[in-house]
Amino acid sequence: MLTKDVSEELRAVLEGLQAQGKEPTVALVKARMSTSVPMPALITTIKSWKSANRIPKIEVAASGQPEIDRVSQLEQQVLDLTARITALEAQLSDK
């Protein structure tokens, strides 16, 4: 499964909240993220930020769009190969 590192996005969100004078909470951070991050990862990140002003490396599953494209490509490939097999079978039966 493909993963995406969201540590920098989390850092930007937390620094933005800090610049606004707001205390980072799970709800505030989650609302500002463009990528969906699991709740336990958010909690760990916020605790680490509050205690040491540090962001751990957080990776999440990459978006599902490439997977959908891949499935579509595989379906098309199956259709193409089926057509080729049918054509080859027709050639063999003519001989």
Side-chain angles (χ1 to χ4, degrees):
M1 175 167 58
L2 298 175
T3 60
K4 175 183 174 184
D5 186 359
V6 294
S7 302
E8 285 307 311
E9 184 180 359
L10 281 165
R11 179 180 309 284
V13 168
L14 290 168
E15 287 174 352
L17 288 170
Q18 186 178 35
Q20 295 173 357
K22 295 182 179 178
E23 182 75 17
T25 64
V26 173
L28 284 174
V29 173
K30 191 172 186 81
R32 286 167 171 74
M33 293 290 294
S34 65
T35 306
S36 179
V37 179
M39 195 76 68
L42 287 177
I43 293 167
T44 301
T45 301
I46 292 169
K47 282 182 180 179
S48 177
W49 177 260
K50 286 180 179 180
S51 67
N53 206 23
R54 177 184 159 292
I55 303 287
K57 183 175 182 178
I58 304 291
E59 291 185 342
V60 295
S63 67
Q65 186 60 32
E67 187 68 26
I68 292 171
D69 290 343
R70 186 168 171 239
V71 170
S72 297
Q73 289 173 349
L74 289 172
E75 288 173 342
Q76 185 60 48
Q77 187 177 19
V78 167
L79 290 173
D80 294 343
L81 290 172
T82 302
R84 288 177 61 188
I85 290 171
T86 303
L88 288 171
E89 287 174 340
Q91 285 179 355
L92 286 173
S93 65
D94 289 343
K95 290 185 179 184

